[in-house]
Structures are given as structure tokens and as C-alpha cells.
Amino acid sequence: MPQYAVLIFERVAPEDLPPEVMEAHGRLPERIAALGGREVAGMALQPSETATSIRGGVVTDGPFIETKEVLAGVFVIEARDLDHALALAKLTPIADGGVEVRPLLGFEVAEAS
């Protein structure tokens, strides 16, 4: 099945997310499976203040742009097609933000010799 990245954007700091949102994230793999998809991987990100950006070879502490929403986490799902992926992504618990769904490209990784 094709794989899709679901990027989670929040306006709320991770430590300020309501407990019910965090609990709902824990149930997400089961809910996705119930609709015929599969969560391949999922992870939350440290706060944007911990980011280090590289642009044009220049390393800068912190996020590169000011924004009201920050990338808070990402998970990878398997779905039949984009419509199915969107239906599964709608299950993502969000306090105050949204999600972005992107198809993943497959690349062959060369083994180290």
C-alpha cells in the first residue's frame, strides 16, 4: 500500500496539550487499523525552540521563520490511496491547528560496503 506522511501542526505547546488530546493520540493506531490503514511510525517533536536550521550552508539556532503554528509531530501511514489517507488523517487529534498529508516517495538506500 502507498505510504503517506501526516504532518501535525499545533498552535499549542506540547506540554500544554489537553490530556484528552494526548490520550487520543495513543488510540490513533487502533482507529486507523479499524478503517483498513496502518500506522507505520509516529513521533512527536521537541519544541521549535530546540530546532537548528541550515540555510545556504549557514547554521542558525532556533526555527527559521516565525509562525503561529509549529510542526509538532509526524506519523507515517499506509493507505489504499490519497482519499483513504485523508480519511485516516482526519482522525488525528488536534488541539488548535491542523494536519498536512503528503505522499511519500520511495528511494532505494545503498548498503554500506
Side-chain angles (χ1 to χ4, degrees):
M1 270 200 290
Q3 292 186 338
Y4 298 85
V6 179
L7 308 169
I8 303 168
F9 293 90
E10 283 282 10
R11 295 177 195 216
V12 178
E15 61 273 11
D16 296 331
L17 286 172
E20 59 271 12
V21 171
M22 296 308 294
E23 291 166 7
H25 274 287
R27 293 188 304 274
L28 193 55
E30 297 167 14
R31 296 179 69 209
I32 288 173
L35 292 179
R38 183 172 80 92
E39 184 175 325
V40 176
M43 56 213 85
L45 300 176
Q46 293 287 336
S48 62
E49 297 81 33
T50 65
T52 302
S53 300
I54 303 171
R55 302 259 180 188
V58 177
V59 178
T60 307
D61 288 340
F64 189 73
I65 59 171
E66 291 291 324
T67 180
K68 293 184 188 294
E69 294 179 342
V70 297
L71 181 60
V74 61
F75 60 98
V76 176
I77 59 172
E78 289 182 340
R80 292 184 296 273
D81 53 30
L82 179 59
D83 289 335
H84 187 217
L86 294 173
L88 299 176
K90 287 180 180 179
L91 301 174
T92 307
I94 299 294
D96 185 18
V99 299
E100 179 179 317
V101 177
R102 289 194 195 179
L104 294 178
L105 295 173
F107 292 99
E108 293 294 320
V109 177
E111 291 187 30
S113 48

